[in-house]
């Protein structure tokens, strides 16, 4: 565990109890198993490395051992199942705020929840939930954050970076983990008590997708705003609007 030895969460409701694992398949899978066995709200699973780390949209998540944060939190909010994706939006905002504390420059959110610095990704979020009947039994919030590597994982140099690379000197994962848990606690707390609308001004201000012409799946348009439910609203070339709920945002051709 190294610099995470003896870690104690500074957050009131997130990060305890905690399991620090060496090499699980995916911390999201471990957290789901633990949740189905009764893990409480806030339980944390962290891995030094994962053999089957997962990203969004069926991608793999690669993270060299000992350098980064690979964690999953068990959450038990009172939320409609359809609102589960808002957890990822609130988490992206909290993560951006947390990492910015360690950097000389701003951290932004690429919709829906990539955290970027200077246009390069430093963190990603993968939310998975389980239903009991018509309600959410639990949500697992997975976070991968590039912290101490001098460079991003091989092959990702053009699209990713690390906190250390941006800051120019080393930092402690324990310090970053503490800041992440505190920021997630604040932003998720607001989400669970007041709803996503209360986070929209802060999220919109940080969202580097807005104001650009983008393509998401089959839709292309100017990314105009975030809808109250977190969808990305595109203004199409024919002046109609469409709300998109998932997918990869890429610059529109010719933009
Ligand atoms: C993405 O940006 O595609 C989401 C990446 C999420 C990666 C984290 S690492 C910890 C947790 N366990 C996983 O298997 N995935 C998430």
């Amino acid at each position: 565990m190294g610099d995470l030895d003896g870690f104690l969460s500074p957050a009131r409701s997130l990060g305890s109890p905690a399991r620090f694992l060496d090499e699980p398949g995916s911390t999201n899978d471990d957290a789901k198993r633990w949740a189905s066995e009764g893990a409480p709200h806030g339980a944390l699973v962290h891995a030094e490395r994962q053999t089957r780390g997962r990203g969004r949209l069926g991608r793999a998540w690669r993270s060299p051992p000992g350098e980064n944060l690979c964690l999953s939190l068990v959450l038990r909010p009172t939320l409609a199942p359809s609102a589960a994706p808002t957890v990822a939006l609130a988490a992206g905002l909290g993560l951006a705020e947390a990492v910015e504390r360690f950097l000389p420059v701003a951290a932004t959110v690429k919709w829906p929840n990539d955290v970027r610095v200077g246009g390069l990704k430093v963190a990603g979020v993968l939310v998975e939930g389980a239903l009991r009947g018509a309600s959410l039994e639990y949500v697992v919030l997975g976070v991968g954050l590039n912290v101490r590597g001098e460079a991003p994982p091989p092959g990702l140099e053009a699209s990713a970076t690390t906190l250390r690379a941006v800051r120019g000197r080393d930092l402690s994962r324990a310090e970053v983990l503490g800041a992440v848990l505190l920021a997630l606690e604040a932003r998720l707390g607001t989400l669970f008590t007041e709803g996503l609308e209360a986070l929209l001004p802060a999220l919109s201000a940080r969202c580097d997708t807005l104001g650009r012409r983008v393509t998401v799946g089959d839709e292309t348009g100017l990314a105009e705003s975030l809808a109250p439910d977190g969808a990305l609203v595109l203004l199409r070339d024919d002046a109609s609007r469409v709300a998109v709920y998932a997918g990869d945002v890429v610059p529109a051709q010719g933009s």
Side-chain angles (χ1 to χ4, degrees), residues 25-29 45 47 50 52-57 59-63 69-72 113-114 121 123-128 140-145:
S26 152
T27 55
N28 266 31
D29 291 343
V45 180
Q50 303 175 106
R52 286 188 309 279
R54 292 198 303 278
R56 286 175 61 238
L57 308 171
R59 299 186 181 123
W61 181 258
R62 285 185 288 138
S63 174
L69 294 175
C70 289
L71 65 98
S72 300
N113 45 46
D114 283 356
K121 180 164 171 171
V125 171
L126 177 67
V127 167
E128 298 177 301
V140 164
L141 165 61
V143 174
L145 170 57

Side-chain angles (χ1 to χ4, degrees), residues 9-147:
S9 175
R12 201 176 36 79
S13 64
L14 298 183
S16 172
R19 291 179 176 172
F20 287 87
L21 308 176
D22 216 28
E23 193 177 61
S26 152
T27 55
N28 266 31
D29 291 343
D30 278 64
K32 283 195 269 185
R33 210 170 302 125
W34 195 9
S36 64
E37 292 161 0
H41 178 86
L44 166 73
V45 180
H46 182 273
E48 284 305 305
R49 64 175 298 171
Q50 303 175 106
T51 54
R52 286 188 309 279
R54 292 198 303 278
R56 286 175 61 238
L57 308 171
R59 299 186 181 123
W61 181 258
R62 285 185 288 138
S63 174
E67 290 184 355
N68 299 327
L69 294 175
C70 289
L71 65 98
S72 300
L73 289 163
V74 174
L75 305 175
R76 296 188 182 276
T78 311
L79 272 187
S82 59
T86 62
V87 172
L89 294 167
L93 173 61
L95 271 176
E97 292 169 336
V99 303
E100 198 172 86
R101 295 190 40 209
F102 299 91
L103 302 175
V105 291
T108 58
V109 175
K110 179 186 175 201
W111 185 91
N113 45 46
D114 283 356
V115 178
R116 304 205 298 179
V117 181
L120 299 174
K121 180 164 171 171
V122 286
V125 171
L126 177 67
V127 167
E128 298 177 301
L131 293 175
R132 172 164 294 169
S135 45
L136 264 186
E137 185 188 358
Y138 61 80
V139 172
V140 164
L141 165 61
V143 174
L145 170 57
N146 298 338
V147 182

